[in-house]
Amino acid sequence: MFRLFSDIWKKFKEYIVLIILVVISLIILASNKKPSAKKFSSLFFGTFSNFSSVISDALDITKYKIANTTLQKENAELMLEVNRLRQYGIENAELKDLIGLKDSVHYPLFPATVIAKSLLKPQGTFTLNVGKDNGVKPGMPVINEFGLIGIVYASSDNFSIVRTLKNIDLSLTVKDERSRADGIMKWNGSNLVIINVPKTYDVEPGDRIITSELSSIVAMPIPIGIVTGLTKVETGIFNEVTIAPFVNFVRADHVFVIKVIENKEKNNLQLNFFNRK
Amino acid sequence: MRSQYVWPVILFFPVLLFQTTILPLIAIRGIIPDLIIILLVYYSIMLGQMTGTILGFIYGFFFDVITGSLMGTSILSLTITGFVAGYFSNENKRDIYFKNYIFVLIVALCAIINSLLNSFFVSVDLNTNMMSLLLNLGILPALYTSLISTIVIVFYPKRNFD
């Protein structure tokens, strides 16, 4: 019997090892959503990010880092302000007689530097040099002066991992700024698309897409991109809207974490898929 | 003797560091070469198919936990890639592979397999144009990776003194 197993092992050891490892991989893949997996990951990336930050700092040739950060913060605040004003313009046109809208929203921005990027086509992630010690928590939006970059996925004490918009696991509720049509946006591996948009919705190439207040993750208007085209126009009852993002993910180095997580009361009223266990 | 199995694991970390910090600077339309694949193919050919498969598993594990990718996707794709690369491990032909452009072709093949497996598990979407997916996720990154892998041929010692 032992001899038989020994013979099989000798003949097929490469295949046996492959099968065992593939099965282990599939088990790991299946237990992905467990909180322990996230904790384990944050332990590893926290340690590794210490080295990444050293290289990232050495690469940072801008000597006027502080001035840059201040200016970029100002830019990001202005971007949000402009976007808010655009919103008000549209809302004002639609609701002429309505007054007393809430207009005292302030977004607390926290500057951060991207110290590592994983630009795998289906799963873009950034590592930031801010973490729990700076008050950064999973679920917080990350922006730069052009628009939304992604959402904080996991945090260690000093570092955080951000899932960028170009990550298959991130879906957001967005809307057309002009027509106010809402939809779910996701990354399909090649493009940012709003899926299952009814053909009756008024969406045109050139329209600006922003995050929707219906979103349980980012419920503030942050620019995302511009509609570049509609697909599946001839067939079916839904269109797919392709979006060109405002942010250049390869060049994004200095970013801001918006220290806002949707309030608990609202979260309790609706189903927040990000917090769902 | 054992150091030949330890070095590939140790080398993984500086290569990943380089991959995530410096390589994004040479990205072309968001596509960057995958140095991990080059390293894995090199060691799979050098150390054999079984070592290549196990090494792929270890690389994938560290890659997933460090970059925050969906746990298991890189483990699976790199394990299979290491297995495929190991097919080309042959003591008699090893030098031939590393000294000419066959190595580039092996890297290209493995990079395509890795990208497609990786994207299959995270982005299988039958509504997406499969040809565009194949081009964007498989062929273009593989071409860039194989182009960079010519460095191995250039720096591989021309003569063996052992």
Side-chain angles (χ1 to χ4, degrees):
Chain A
M1 192 68 176
F2 178 76
R3 200 188 166 95
L4 178 73
F5 280 121
S6 172
D7 281 350
I8 292 173
W9 170 251
K10 269 181 194 164
K11 273 186 186 173
F12 302 108
K13 61 180 177 187
E14 286 87 2
Y15 295 93
I16 294 169
V17 169
L18 176 72
I19 289 166
I20 292 169
L21 294 181
V22 165
V23 169
I24 296 173
S25 315
L26 291 173
I27 292 169
I28 295 173
L29 202 62
S31 56
N32 223 297
K33 302 275 177 190
K34 286 184 181 169
S36 54
K38 218 171 180 180
K39 265 185 189 172
F40 188 67
S41 174
S42 53
L43 186 78
F44 265 90
F45 84 73
T47 315
F48 189 80
S49 298
N50 286 312
F51 298 101
S52 305
S53 69
V54 172
I55 292 192
S56 173
D57 283 349
L59 282 174
D60 204 350
I61 50 168
T62 48
K63 291 178 183 174
Y64 306 104
K65 214 172 171 182
I66 299 165
N68 251 351
T69 309
T70 317
L71 283 172
Q72 281 181 335
K73 185 175 179 181
E74 205 176 313
N75 260 345
E77 277 170 345
L78 283 171
M79 179 271 290
L80 290 173
E81 185 71 25
V82 166
N83 211 53
R84 197 153 53 98
L85 291 173
R86 274 176 194 269
Q87 287 274 88
Y88 287 149
I90 293 163
E91 278 167 4
N92 274 341
E94 284 176 352
L95 313 162
K96 280 178 186 170
D97 298 323
L98 191 68
I99 53 166
L101 288 172
K102 270 189 183 178
D103 63 349
S104 57
V105 184
H106 176 69
Y107 304 116
L109 298 177
F110 194 80
T113 305
V114 179
I115 57 165
K117 292 175 187 174
S118 171
L119 296 174
L120 273 180
K121 269 280 177 179
Q123 298 189 78
T125 56
F126 286 177
T127 308
L128 304 185
N129 67 344
V130 290
K132 281 179 200 160
D133 289 354
N134 308 100
V136 174
K137 292 174 189 167
M140 290 179 171
V142 177
I143 60 164
N144 73 356
E145 62 270 34
F146 300 109
L148 184 67
I149 287 179
I151 306 291
V152 175
Y153 164 68
S155 303
S156 67
D157 290 342
N158 298 304
F159 301 97
S160 305
I161 284 185
V162 176
R163 278 186 172 163
T164 67
L165 294 182
K166 291 187 172 184
N167 190 310
I168 211 86
D169 292 317
L170 183 65
S171 301
L172 283 175
T173 312
V174 295
K175 72 176 174 191
D176 184 310
E177 198 180 52
R178 178 184 58 83
S179 67
R180 325 301 288 167
D182 291 291
I184 305 288
M185 185 197 72
K186 67 173 197 172
W187 172 248
N188 70 4
S190 341
N191 291 306
L192 274 179
V193 289
I194 306 177
I195 52 167
N196 298 336
V197 178
K199 284 189 190 297
T200 49
Y201 275 23
D202 176 21
V203 181
E204 299 282 341
D207 284 357
R208 278 168 58 93
I209 299 297
I210 57 172
T211 47
S212 167
E213 64 272 9
L214 297 181
S215 171
S216 56
I217 305 173
V218 188
M220 59 190 87
I222 301 176
I224 287 180
I226 276 192
V227 175
T228 53
L230 304 170
T231 51
K232 300 176 186 170
V233 179
E234 289 85 13
T235 56
I237 52 168
F238 294 115
N239 280 336
E240 199 169 89
V241 178
T242 315
I243 303 163
F246 289 129
V247 174
N248 182 337
F249 292 90
V250 176
R251 291 188 181 170
D253 287 326
H254 298 283
V255 299
F256 297 92
V257 180
I258 304 181
K259 283 185 159 180
V260 171
I261 299 183
E262 272 302 278
N263 72 53
K264 280 181 184 170
E265 194 182 331
K266 190 177 171 187
N267 278 349
N268 290 338
L269 286 173
Q270 63 184 29
L271 205 57
N272 187 335
F273 287 100
F274 193 83
N275 292 331
R276 206 171 144 194
K277 296 274 186 288
Chain B
M1 182 67 184
R2 283 198 180 160
S3 67
Q4 69 172 345
Y5 297 107
V6 176
W7 270 111
V9 179
I10 295 173
L11 258 180
F12 170 80
F13 295 100
V15 169
L16 182 63
L17 205 60
F18 191 78
Q19 168 96 25
T20 53
T21 53
I22 295 167
L23 275 199
L25 300 175
I26 59 160
I28 300 172
R29 292 174 64 95
I31 295 168
I32 57 167
D34 194 340
L35 296 188
I36 309 294
I37 293 287
I38 300 174
L39 193 70
L40 179 63
V41 171
Y42 178 82
Y43 279 114
S44 296
I45 293 174
M46 284 292 276
L47 303 174
Q49 194 174 31
M50 197 160 84
T51 314
T53 312
I54 296 169
L55 210 54
F57 182 87
I58 296 169
Y59 282 5
F61 174 78
F62 283 125
F63 187 87
D64 280 344
V65 290
I66 289 170
T67 61
S69 310
L70 190 69
M71 273 285 275
T73 49
S74 300
I75 302 178
L76 189 66
S77 60
L78 285 175
T79 304
I80 294 171
T81 306
F83 179 78
V84 172
Y87 266 118
F88 299 93
S89 178
N90 181 326
E91 260 183 67
N92 301 321
K93 291 182 179 172
R94 199 171 288 158
D95 274 356
I96 302 169
Y97 288 155
F98 289 133
K99 282 177 190 168
N100 68 39
Y101 289 89
I102 295 176
F103 180 70
V104 177
L105 293 177
I106 299 172
V107 170
L109 173 74
C110 291
I112 289 175
I113 291 171
N114 179 64
S115 314
L116 289 181
L117 279 171
N118 209 320
S119 34
F120 176 77
F121 276 96
V122 290
S123 61
V124 95
D125 182 0
L126 295 175
N127 295 323
T128 311
N129 182 343
M130 287 309 281
M131 280 310 288
S132 122
L133 209 65
L134 189 74
L135 188 74
N136 280 310
L137 300 181
I139 295 169
L140 293 180
L143 282 178
Y144 201 1
T145 304
S146 50
L147 191 72
I148 296 292
S149 72
T150 50
I151 293 169
V152 174
I153 300 168
V154 173
F155 287 100
Y156 190 75
K158 296 285 179 260
R159 278 184 175 188
N160 281 335
F161 294 100
D162 52 338

